[in-house]
Amino acid sequence: MGSANPNHDPTPHFADSLDYVTVRIGEQHLGLPIERVRDVFIADRITVVPGAPADIVGLLNLRGRIVTAICLRNRLGCAMTEACAKGCGELTAIGLDHRGEAYGLIVDAVGEVVRLDRSTFEPLPVNLDPTWAALATGVHRLPGSLLVILDLDAVLDLDLRAAA
C-alpha cells in the first residue's frame, strides 16, 4: 500500500478554471465572463432613441425593466446587420448590468457555456485590430479557433458625452 500524496489532489478546482458564455459575431467566437451575464433573450421590440450614439440600437422593456440595447457588431467596428440597424426583428441579446444600469448586448448568436483552464489564458496578440484590443482582455486557444475574451466594462463604457 502506497501512501497518498497530500500535495496532489486529482479533483479539478474551480479556482483553476474560467467560465464563459460564448457568443458569435460573424465567424469570430467571443467569451463573456459568466458571472456578468444575467439573461439571454430575444429582443423584438426596440424603441429607437434619436441622437443616440451609433452603438446604441435603442431601448427595450425586459420584464418591466428599461434596458439599453447595444450592438456588439458596431462596438467591434463590424458592419451592423439590417435588423440591428433598424432595431427590429428578432435580435439575440445578452442581458448585463453595468454601474447600476441594465444593458442588452445584441449578438449574432449565443453558443454554449465553456469552462477553460486558467493556464490557457493568454495576452492579446500584438496584431489584433486596435478596436478589438481596446475591448478585450485576452484569448484562449481552442482547437481550430481563438476565443477572444471581452472586457465587458470597456464594451459597456460608452462615451455618452460625445452624443450630447
Side-chain angles (χ1 to χ4, degrees), residues 3-13:
S3 64
N5 181 349
N7 296 324
H8 177 70
D9 183 358
T11 59
H13 294 283

Side-chain angles (χ1 to χ4, degrees), residues 39-99:
D39 298 288
V40 175
F41 60 96
I42 300 296
D44 58 358
R45 290 189 189 147
I46 296 178
T47 302
V48 176
V49 179
D55 298 341
I56 296 179
V57 178
L59 302 174
L60 57 98
N61 183 338
L62 179 63
R63 297 185 288 278
R65 189 173 183 196
I66 301 300
V67 175
T68 302
I70 297 174
C71 178
L72 184 55
R73 276 184 155 276
N74 201 46
R75 285 293 284 144
L76 292 170
C78 301
M80 291 174 76
T81 62
E82 185 177 341
C84 199
K86 292 182 177 180
C88 62
E90 290 191 349
L91 300 170
T92 303
I94 302 288
L96 307 162
D97 288 326
H98 178 67
R99 297 186 178 163

Side-chain angles (χ1 to χ4, degrees), residues 87-127:
C88 62
E90 290 191 349
L91 300 170
T92 303
I94 302 288
L96 307 162
D97 288 326
H98 178 67
R99 297 186 178 163
E101 297 293 324
Y103 293 90
L105 200 57
I106 308 297
V107 298
D108 292 353
V110 176
E112 54 194 21
V113 173
V114 295
R115 173 169 286 151
L116 300 172
D117 192 272
R118 191 175 295 275
S119 67
T120 67
F121 184 78
E122 299 178 25
L124 293 169
V126 295
N127 59 350

Side-chain angles (χ1 to χ4, degrees), residues 136-156:
T137 60
V139 297
H140 285 276
R141 290 179 203 258
L142 302 177
S145 70
L146 205 59
L147 182 68
V148 177
I149 306 305
L150 291 181
D151 176 350
L152 292 177
D153 290 329
V155 169
L156 298 174

